[in-house]
mmCIF file of all heavy atoms in Angstrom:
data_model
loop_
_atom_site.group_PDB
_atom_site.id
_atom_site.type_symbol
_atom_site.label_atom_id
_atom_site.label_comp_id
_atom_site.label_asym_id
_atom_site.label_seq_id
_atom_site.Cartn_x
_atom_site.Cartn_y
_atom_site.Cartn_z
ATOM 1 N N GLY E 77 29.888 -27.525 111.469
ATOM 2 C CA GLY E 77 30.033 -26.274 112.198
ATOM 3 C C GLY E 77 30.915 -26.324 113.421
ATOM 4 O O GLY E 77 31.498 -25.317 113.818
ATOM 5 N N HIS E 78 31.032 -27.494 114.055
ATOM 6 C CA HIS E 78 31.906 -27.635 115.221
ATOM 7 C C HIS E 78 33.214 -28.317 114.861
ATOM 8 O O HIS E 78 34.001 -28.659 115.750
ATOM 9 C CB HIS E 78 31.207 -28.422 116.328
ATOM 10 C CG HIS E 78 30.165 -27.629 117.053
ATOM 11 N ND1 HIS E 78 30.464 -26.771 118.086
ATOM 12 C CD2 HIS E 78 28.828 -27.540 116.873
ATOM 13 C CE1 HIS E 78 29.353 -26.203 118.522
ATOM 14 N NE2 HIS E 78 28.342 -26.650 117.815
ATOM 15 N N GLY E 79 33.462 -28.544 113.569
ATOM 16 C CA GLY E 79 34.698 -29.214 113.170
ATOM 17 C C GLY E 79 34.820 -30.557 113.855
ATOM 18 O O GLY E 79 33.879 -31.348 113.875
ATOM 19 N N LYS E 80 35.975 -30.804 114.450
ATOM 20 C CA LYS E 80 36.211 -32.064 115.146
ATOM 21 C C LYS E 80 36.014 -31.938 116.654
ATOM 22 O O LYS E 80 36.334 -32.848 117.406
ATOM 23 C CB LYS E 80 37.633 -32.573 114.854
ATOM 24 C CG LYS E 80 37.846 -32.937 113.388
ATOM 25 C CD LYS E 80 39.225 -33.547 113.176
ATOM 26 C CE LYS E 80 39.435 -33.928 111.719
ATOM 27 N NZ LYS E 80 38.481 -34.940 111.238
ATOM 28 N N THR E 81 35.446 -30.796 117.092
ATOM 29 C CA THR E 81 35.311 -30.608 118.531
ATOM 30 C C THR E 81 34.375 -31.633 119.158
ATOM 31 O O THR E 81 34.497 -31.947 120.334
ATOM 32 C CB THR E 81 34.787 -29.197 118.864
ATOM 33 O OG1 THR E 81 33.534 -28.989 118.210
ATOM 34 C CG2 THR E 81 35.772 -28.136 118.431
ATOM 35 N N ILE E 82 33.444 -32.166 118.372
ATOM 36 C CA ILE E 82 32.543 -33.154 118.970
ATOM 37 C C ILE E 82 33.263 -34.465 119.246
ATOM 38 O O ILE E 82 32.762 -35.320 119.967
ATOM 39 C CB ILE E 82 31.302 -33.430 118.094
ATOM 40 C CG1 ILE E 82 31.697 -33.974 116.714
ATOM 41 C CG2 ILE E 82 30.445 -32.206 117.968
ATOM 42 C CD1 ILE E 82 30.539 -34.567 115.948
ATOM 43 N N ASP E 83 34.473 -34.635 118.682
ATOM 44 C CA ASP E 83 35.238 -35.840 118.963
ATOM 45 C C ASP E 83 35.977 -35.742 120.297
ATOM 46 O O ASP E 83 36.467 -36.738 120.812
ATOM 47 C CB ASP E 83 36.259 -36.093 117.842
ATOM 48 C CG ASP E 83 35.575 -36.383 116.514
ATOM 49 O OD1 ASP E 83 34.467 -36.947 116.554
ATOM 50 O OD2 ASP E 83 36.140 -36.044 115.463
ATOM 51 N N ALA E 84 36.093 -34.543 120.813
ATOM 52 C CA ALA E 84 36.803 -34.367 122.077
ATOM 53 C C ALA E 84 35.949 -34.928 123.211
ATOM 54 O O ALA E 84 34.865 -34.444 123.484
ATOM 55 C CB ALA E 84 37.098 -32.888 122.309
ATOM 56 N N LYS E 85 36.450 -35.968 123.869
ATOM 57 C CA LYS E 85 35.650 -36.664 124.879
ATOM 58 C C LYS E 85 35.248 -35.755 126.035
ATOM 59 O O LYS E 85 34.247 -35.991 126.701
ATOM 60 C CB LYS E 85 36.432 -37.864 125.437
ATOM 61 C CG LYS E 85 36.884 -38.876 124.382
ATOM 62 C CD LYS E 85 35.732 -39.535 123.678
ATOM 63 C CE LYS E 85 36.210 -40.655 122.770
ATOM 64 N NZ LYS E 85 35.215 -41.059 121.778
ATOM 65 N N LEU E 86 36.040 -34.697 126.283
ATOM 66 C CA LEU E 86 35.739 -33.814 127.395
ATOM 67 C C LEU E 86 34.691 -32.770 127.055
ATOM 68 O O LEU E 86 34.152 -32.117 127.940
ATOM 69 C CB LEU E 86 37.023 -33.108 127.864
ATOM 70 C CG LEU E 86 38.115 -33.995 128.450
ATOM 71 C CD1 LEU E 86 39.352 -33.158 128.769
ATOM 72 C CD2 LEU E 86 37.621 -34.702 129.708
ATOM 73 N N SER E 87 34.376 -32.592 125.777
ATOM 74 C CA SER E 87 33.428 -31.570 125.367
ATOM 75 C C SER E 87 32.014 -31.921 125.806
ATOM 76 O O SER E 87 31.602 -33.087 125.749
ATOM 77 C CB SER E 87 33.464 -31.398 123.844
ATOM 78 O OG SER E 87 32.387 -30.600 123.402
ATOM 79 N N ILE E 88 31.250 -30.895 126.221
ATOM 80 C CA ILE E 88 29.865 -31.150 126.614
ATOM 81 C C ILE E 88 29.013 -31.547 125.422
ATOM 82 O O ILE E 88 27.905 -32.042 125.583
ATOM 83 C CB ILE E 88 29.249 -29.921 127.310
ATOM 84 C CG1 ILE E 88 29.282 -28.688 126.391
ATOM 85 C CG2 ILE E 88 29.937 -29.638 128.629
ATOM 86 C CD1 ILE E 88 28.505 -27.516 126.922
ATOM 87 N N LEU E 89 29.504 -31.340 124.198
ATOM 88 C CA LEU E 89 28.730 -31.694 123.008
ATOM 89 C C LEU E 89 28.871 -33.157 122.632
ATOM 90 O O LEU E 89 28.049 -33.692 121.888
ATOM 91 C CB LEU E 89 29.177 -30.840 121.813
ATOM 92 C CG LEU E 89 29.127 -29.321 122.003
ATOM 93 C CD1 LEU E 89 29.629 -28.625 120.750
ATOM 94 C CD2 LEU E 89 27.727 -28.863 122.353
ATOM 95 N N HIS E 90 29.902 -33.814 123.125
ATOM 96 C CA HIS E 90 30.253 -35.151 122.645
ATOM 97 C C HIS E 90 29.128 -36.182 122.752
ATOM 98 O O HIS E 90 28.882 -36.923 121.798
ATOM 99 C CB HIS E 90 31.497 -35.657 123.375
ATOM 100 C CG HIS E 90 31.825 -37.094 123.090
ATOM 101 N ND1 HIS E 90 32.333 -37.508 121.871
ATOM 102 C CD2 HIS E 90 31.679 -38.216 123.831
ATOM 103 C CE1 HIS E 90 32.507 -38.816 121.899
ATOM 104 N NE2 HIS E 90 32.116 -39.279 123.066
ATOM 105 N N PRO E 91 28.398 -36.274 123.874
ATOM 106 C CA PRO E 91 27.418 -37.372 123.994
ATOM 107 C C PRO E 91 26.179 -37.217 123.119
ATOM 108 O O PRO E 91 25.431 -38.164 122.935
ATOM 109 C CB PRO E 91 27.020 -37.331 125.481
ATOM 110 C CG PRO E 91 28.000 -36.442 126.151
ATOM 111 C CD PRO E 91 28.476 -35.490 125.108
ATOM 112 N N ASP E 92 25.935 -36.017 122.598
ATOM 113 C CA ASP E 92 24.634 -35.719 122.008
ATOM 114 C C ASP E 92 24.542 -35.968 120.506
ATOM 115 O O ASP E 92 23.460 -35.906 119.939
ATOM 116 C CB ASP E 92 24.274 -34.247 122.275
ATOM 117 C CG ASP E 92 24.276 -33.907 123.754
ATOM 118 O OD1 ASP E 92 24.106 -34.834 124.562
ATOM 119 O OD2 ASP E 92 24.455 -32.731 124.090
ATOM 120 N N LEU E 93 25.669 -36.235 119.835
ATOM 121 C CA LEU E 93 25.686 -36.252 118.374
ATOM 122 C C LEU E 93 26.315 -37.529 117.825
ATOM 123 O O LEU E 93 27.305 -38.020 118.344
ATOM 124 C CB LEU E 93 26.480 -35.045 117.848
ATOM 125 C CG LEU E 93 25.993 -33.665 118.282
ATOM 126 C CD1 LEU E 93 27.083 -32.629 118.087
ATOM 127 C CD2 LEU E 93 24.764 -33.264 117.492
ATOM 128 N N LYS E 94 25.720 -38.072 116.762
ATOM 129 C CA LYS E 94 26.292 -39.187 116.005
ATOM 130 C C LYS E 94 26.431 -38.728 114.557
ATOM 131 O O LYS E 94 25.491 -38.165 113.983
ATOM 132 C CB LYS E 94 25.395 -40.426 116.070
ATOM 133 C CG LYS E 94 25.000 -40.868 117.474
ATOM 134 C CD LYS E 94 26.148 -41.464 118.235
ATOM 135 C CE LYS E 94 25.663 -41.973 119.600
ATOM 136 N NZ LYS E 94 26.783 -42.422 120.453
ATOM 137 N N THR E 95 27.564 -38.989 113.947
ATOM 138 C CA THR E 95 27.832 -38.510 112.595
ATOM 139 C C THR E 95 27.420 -39.549 111.560
ATOM 140 O O THR E 95 27.738 -40.736 111.694
ATOM 141 C CB THR E 95 29.334 -38.206 112.439
ATOM 142 O OG1 THR E 95 29.698 -37.194 113.390
ATOM 143 C CG2 THR E 95 29.651 -37.722 111.039
ATOM 144 N N ILE E 96 26.701 -39.120 110.521
ATOM 145 C CA ILE E 96 26.326 -40.018 109.427
ATOM 146 C C ILE E 96 27.576 -40.322 108.601
ATOM 147 O O ILE E 96 28.219 -39.393 108.087
ATOM 148 C CB ILE E 96 25.217 -39.392 108.563
ATOM 149 C CG1 ILE E 96 23.911 -39.361 109.364
ATOM 150 C CG2 ILE E 96 25.033 -40.153 107.260
ATOM 151 C CD1 ILE E 96 22.724 -38.811 108.616
ATOM 152 N N PRO E 97 27.953 -41.590 108.467
ATOM 153 C CA PRO E 97 29.231 -41.931 107.834
ATOM 154 C C PRO E 97 29.387 -41.395 106.411
ATOM 155 O O PRO E 97 30.462 -40.915 106.041
ATOM 156 C CB PRO E 97 29.243 -43.459 107.860
ATOM 157 C CG PRO E 97 28.307 -43.849 108.957
ATOM 158 C CD PRO E 97 27.254 -42.792 108.983
ATOM 159 N N HIS E 98 28.325 -41.464 105.610
ATOM 160 C CA HIS E 98 28.463 -41.077 104.205
ATOM 161 C C HIS E 98 28.179 -39.590 103.972
ATOM 162 O O HIS E 98 28.305 -39.108 102.844
ATOM 163 C CB HIS E 98 27.542 -41.929 103.318
ATOM 164 C CG HIS E 98 26.085 -41.819 103.654
ATOM 165 N ND1 HIS E 98 25.281 -40.849 103.127
ATOM 166 C CD2 HIS E 98 25.299 -42.557 104.490
ATOM 167 C CE1 HIS E 98 24.044 -40.995 103.602
ATOM 168 N NE2 HIS E 98 24.029 -42.022 104.437
ATOM 169 N N GLN E 99 27.810 -38.850 105.034
ATOM 170 C CA GLN E 99 27.599 -37.410 104.918
ATOM 171 C C GLN E 99 28.006 -36.778 106.241
ATOM 172 O O GLN E 99 27.177 -36.426 107.079
ATOM 173 C CB GLN E 99 26.127 -37.099 104.594
ATOM 174 C CG GLN E 99 25.870 -35.693 104.068
ATOM 175 C CD GLN E 99 26.445 -35.487 102.690
ATOM 176 O OE1 GLN E 99 26.063 -36.144 101.731
ATOM 177 N NE2 GLN E 99 27.382 -34.558 102.558
ATOM 178 N N PRO E 100 29.316 -36.627 106.476
ATOM 179 C CA PRO E 100 29.804 -36.278 107.819
ATOM 180 C C PRO E 100 29.418 -34.888 108.307
ATOM 181 O O PRO E 100 29.603 -34.596 109.486
ATOM 182 C CB PRO E 100 31.328 -36.405 107.671
ATOM 183 C CG PRO E 100 31.603 -36.298 106.208
ATOM 184 C CD PRO E 100 30.406 -36.890 105.529
ATOM 185 N N GLN E 101 28.865 -34.049 107.450
ATOM 186 C CA GLN E 101 28.384 -32.744 107.912
ATOM 187 C C GLN E 101 27.008 -32.850 108.570
ATOM 188 O O GLN E 101 26.519 -31.874 109.136
ATOM 189 C CB GLN E 101 28.296 -31.756 106.734
ATOM 190 C CG GLN E 101 29.608 -31.538 106.009
ATOM 191 C CD GLN E 101 29.827 -32.535 104.883
ATOM 192 O OE1 GLN E 101 29.093 -33.522 104.744
ATOM 193 N NE2 GLN E 101 30.842 -32.295 104.071
ATOM 194 N N VAL E 102 26.388 -34.020 108.472
ATOM 195 C CA VAL E 102 25.045 -34.222 109.025
ATOM 196 C C VAL E 102 25.137 -35.124 110.252
ATOM 197 O O VAL E 102 25.779 -36.189 110.215
ATOM 198 C CB VAL E 102 24.101 -34.841 107.968
ATOM 199 C CG1 VAL E 102 22.708 -35.050 108.553
ATOM 200 C CG2 VAL E 102 24.032 -33.953 106.728
ATOM 201 N N GLN E 103 24.508 -34.693 111.324
ATOM 202 C CA GLN E 103 24.538 -35.422 112.590
ATOM 203 C C GLN E 103 23.153 -36.008 112.895
ATOM 204 O O GLN E 103 22.131 -35.462 112.474
ATOM 205 C CB GLN E 103 24.940 -34.481 113.737
ATOM 206 C CG GLN E 103 26.161 -33.636 113.462
ATOM 207 C CD GLN E 103 27.407 -34.451 113.269
ATOM 208 O OE1 GLN E 103 27.632 -35.429 113.983
ATOM 209 N NE2 GLN E 103 28.245 -34.071 112.313
ATOM 210 N N VAL E 104 23.159 -37.096 113.637
ATOM 211 C CA VAL E 104 21.926 -37.708 114.134
ATOM 212 C C VAL E 104 21.807 -37.382 115.617
ATOM 213 O O VAL E 104 22.765 -37.567 116.381
ATOM 214 C CB VAL E 104 21.914 -39.228 113.909
ATOM 215 C CG1 VAL E 104 20.688 -39.871 114.560
ATOM 216 C CG2 VAL E 104 21.944 -39.548 112.417
ATOM 217 N N ILE E 105 20.654 -36.889 116.016
ATOM 218 C CA ILE E 105 20.395 -36.577 117.418
ATOM 219 C C ILE E 105 19.047 -37.160 117.795
ATOM 220 O O ILE E 105 18.238 -37.506 116.935
ATOM 221 C CB ILE E 105 20.409 -35.051 117.678
ATOM 222 C CG1 ILE E 105 19.381 -34.339 116.784
ATOM 223 C CG2 ILE E 105 21.789 -34.478 117.448
ATOM 224 C CD1 ILE E 105 19.279 -32.837 117.034
ATOM 225 N N GLY E 106 18.791 -37.304 119.079
ATOM 226 C CA GLY E 106 17.482 -37.805 119.483
ATOM 227 C C GLY E 106 17.514 -38.501 120.815
ATOM 228 O O GLY E 106 18.295 -38.163 121.712
ATOM 229 N N ASN E 107 16.666 -39.511 120.935
ATOM 230 C CA ASN E 107 16.535 -40.235 122.200
ATOM 231 C C ASN E 107 16.130 -41.677 121.923
ATOM 232 O O ASN E 107 15.288 -41.947 121.065
ATOM 233 C CB ASN E 107 15.473 -39.581 123.089
ATOM 234 C CG ASN E 107 15.429 -40.175 124.484
ATOM 235 O OD1 ASN E 107 16.316 -39.898 125.290
ATOM 236 N ND2 ASN E 107 14.427 -40.992 124.785
ATOM 237 N N GLY E 108 16.748 -42.620 122.668
ATOM 238 C CA GLY E 108 16.353 -44.012 122.585
ATOM 239 C C GLY E 108 17.239 -44.834 121.664
ATOM 240 O O GLY E 108 18.207 -44.348 121.074
ATOM 241 N N PHE E 109 16.862 -46.105 121.537
ATOM 242 C CA PHE E 109 17.642 -47.065 120.747
ATOM 243 C C PHE E 109 17.133 -47.107 119.302
ATOM 244 O O PHE E 109 15.940 -47.204 119.052
ATOM 245 C CB PHE E 109 17.541 -48.460 121.361
ATOM 246 C CG PHE E 109 18.217 -49.528 120.547
ATOM 247 C CD1 PHE E 109 19.603 -49.639 120.519
ATOM 248 C CD2 PHE E 109 17.464 -50.417 119.783
ATOM 249 C CE1 PHE E 109 20.221 -50.613 119.749
ATOM 250 C CE2 PHE E 109 18.071 -51.395 119.015
ATOM 251 C CZ PHE E 109 19.455 -51.498 118.995
ATOM 252 N N VAL E 110 18.082 -47.029 118.367
ATOM 253 C CA VAL E 110 17.774 -47.129 116.941
ATOM 254 C C VAL E 110 18.660 -48.222 116.369
ATOM 255 O O VAL E 110 19.887 -48.125 116.441
ATOM 256 C CB VAL E 110 18.029 -45.789 116.215
ATOM 257 C CG1 VAL E 110 17.758 -45.934 114.724
ATOM 258 C CG2 VAL E 110 17.173 -44.680 116.816
ATOM 259 N N SER E 111 18.052 -49.254 115.806
ATOM 260 C CA SER E 111 18.840 -50.418 115.346
ATOM 261 C C SER E 111 19.663 -50.096 114.108
ATOM 262 O O SER E 111 20.808 -50.576 113.974
ATOM 263 C CB SER E 111 17.913 -51.609 115.073
ATOM 264 O OG SER E 111 16.951 -51.281 114.081
ATOM 265 N N GLU E 112 19.103 -49.299 113.196
ATOM 266 C CA GLU E 112 19.870 -48.967 111.986
ATOM 267 C C GLU E 112 19.315 -47.692 111.377
ATOM 268 O O GLU E 112 18.109 -47.487 111.290
ATOM 269 C CB GLU E 112 19.757 -50.097 110.956
ATOM 270 C CG GLU E 112 20.770 -50.009 109.811
ATOM 271 C CD GLU E 112 20.367 -48.998 108.724
ATOM 272 O OE1 GLU E 112 19.144 -48.821 108.493
ATOM 273 O OE2 GLU E 112 21.276 -48.375 108.132
ATOM 274 N N TYR E 113 20.236 -46.809 110.980
ATOM 275 C CA TYR E 113 19.801 -45.583 110.291
ATOM 276 C C TYR E 113 20.985 -44.980 109.543
ATOM 277 O O TYR E 113 22.016 -44.668 110.152
ATOM 278 C CB TYR E 113 19.246 -44.552 111.277
ATOM 279 C CG TYR E 113 18.733 -43.315 110.586
ATOM 280 C CD1 TYR E 113 17.575 -43.357 109.813
ATOM 281 C CD2 TYR E 113 19.431 -42.115 110.664
ATOM 282 C CE1 TYR E 113 17.114 -42.223 109.145
ATOM 283 C CE2 TYR E 113 18.980 -40.986 109.997
ATOM 284 C CZ TYR E 113 17.825 -41.049 109.236
ATOM 285 O OH TYR E 113 17.384 -39.934 108.567
ATOM 286 N N GLU E 114 20.852 -44.860 108.218
ATOM 287 C CA GLU E 114 21.832 -44.170 107.373
ATOM 288 C C GLU E 114 23.270 -44.625 107.634
ATOM 289 O O GLU E 114 24.195 -43.817 107.754
ATOM 290 C CB GLU E 114 21.722 -42.658 107.563
ATOM 291 C CG GLU E 114 20.418 -42.059 107.068
ATOM 292 C CD GLU E 114 20.289 -42.071 105.539
ATOM 293 O OE1 GLU E 114 21.276 -42.367 104.862
ATOM 294 O OE2 GLU E 114 19.177 -41.774 105.050
ATOM 295 N N GLY E 115 23.451 -45.961 107.745
ATOM 296 C CA GLY E 115 24.799 -46.500 107.934
ATOM 297 C C GLY E 115 25.244 -46.600 109.373
ATOM 298 O O GLY E 115 26.338 -47.106 109.656
ATOM 299 N N LEU E 116 24.435 -46.142 110.291
ATOM 300 C CA LEU E 116 24.714 -46.283 111.720
ATOM 301 C C LEU E 116 23.937 -47.476 112.254
ATOM 302 O O LEU E 116 22.769 -47.667 111.909
ATOM 303 C CB LEU E 116 24.312 -45.020 112.477
ATOM 304 C CG LEU E 116 25.092 -43.749 112.135
ATOM 305 C CD1 LEU E 116 24.386 -42.522 112.718
ATOM 306 C CD2 LEU E 116 26.519 -43.827 112.658
ATOM 307 N N SER E 117 24.562 -48.298 113.091
ATOM 308 C CA SER E 117 23.915 -49.497 113.618
ATOM 309 C C SER E 117 23.919 -49.491 115.136
ATOM 310 O O SER E 117 24.899 -49.061 115.773
ATOM 311 C CB SER E 117 24.645 -50.757 113.122
ATOM 312 O OG SER E 117 24.614 -50.832 111.719
ATOM 313 N N ASP E 118 22.813 -49.969 115.701
ATOM 314 C CA ASP E 118 22.691 -50.148 117.149
ATOM 315 C C ASP E 118 23.128 -48.905 117.914
ATOM 316 O O ASP E 118 23.994 -48.950 118.794
ATOM 317 C CB ASP E 118 23.519 -51.367 117.603
ATOM 318 C CG ASP E 118 23.023 -52.659 116.983
ATOM 319 O OD1 ASP E 118 21.824 -52.742 116.677
ATOM 320 O OD2 ASP E 118 23.840 -53.571 116.772
ATOM 321 N N ILE E 119 22.518 -47.783 117.575
ATOM 322 C CA ILE E 119 22.912 -46.533 118.227
ATOM 323 C C ILE E 119 21.958 -46.224 119.390
ATOM 324 O O ILE E 119 20.758 -46.457 119.320
ATOM 325 C CB ILE E 119 22.960 -45.355 117.236
ATOM 326 C CG1 ILE E 119 21.648 -45.217 116.434
ATOM 327 C CG2 ILE E 119 24.130 -45.493 116.292
ATOM 328 C CD1 ILE E 119 21.609 -43.984 115.551
ATOM 329 N N HIS E 120 22.540 -45.728 120.441
ATOM 330 C CA HIS E 120 21.787 -45.300 121.611
ATOM 331 C C HIS E 120 21.846 -43.776 121.661
ATOM 332 O O HIS E 120 22.895 -43.201 121.942
ATOM 333 C CB HIS E 120 22.370 -45.904 122.893
ATOM 334 C CG HIS E 120 22.210 -47.388 122.979
ATOM 335 N ND1 HIS E 120 21.153 -47.989 123.623
ATOM 336 C CD2 HIS E 120 22.974 -48.389 122.479
ATOM 337 C CE1 HIS E 120 21.276 -49.308 123.524
ATOM 338 N NE2 HIS E 120 22.371 -49.572 122.835
ATOM 339 N N LEU E 121 20.725 -43.140 121.371
ATOM 340 C CA LEU E 121 20.668 -41.681 121.357
ATOM 341 C C LEU E 121 20.220 -41.177 122.732
ATOM 342 O O LEU E 121 19.382 -41.794 123.390
ATOM 343 C CB LEU E 121 19.700 -41.196 120.287
ATOM 344 C CG LEU E 121 20.049 -41.606 118.848
ATOM 345 C CD1 LEU E 121 18.930 -41.219 117.892
ATOM 346 C CD2 LEU E 121 21.363 -40.975 118.419
ATOM 347 N N LYS E 122 20.790 -40.070 123.131
ATOM 348 C CA LYS E 122 20.507 -39.538 124.465
ATOM 349 C C LYS E 122 20.104 -38.076 124.344
ATOM 350 O O LYS E 122 20.916 -37.226 123.982
ATOM 351 C CB LYS E 122 21.741 -39.680 125.366
ATOM 352 C CG LYS E 122 21.475 -39.391 126.823
ATOM 353 C CD LYS E 122 22.684 -39.736 127.670
ATOM 354 C CE LYS E 122 22.399 -39.518 129.153
ATOM 355 N NZ LYS E 122 23.569 -39.844 129.985
#
Side-chain angles (χ1 to χ4, degrees):
H78 285 277
K80 295 185 179 298
T81 57
I82 60 166
D83 295 329
K85 303 297 187 197
L86 295 176
S87 169
I88 59 171
L89 305 179
H90 172 72
D92 303 336
L93 302 162
K94 308 289 184 187
T95 300
I96 290 182
H98 60 87
Q99 197 69 62
Q101 302 89 350
V102 180
Q103 312 297 319
V104 174
I105 57 177
N107 188 75
F109 175 75
V110 178
S111 59
E112 194 280 328
Y113 183 70
E114 294 290 350
L116 295 167
S117 299
D118 298 332
I119 52 174
H120 293 266
L121 299 173
K122 190 172 183 180

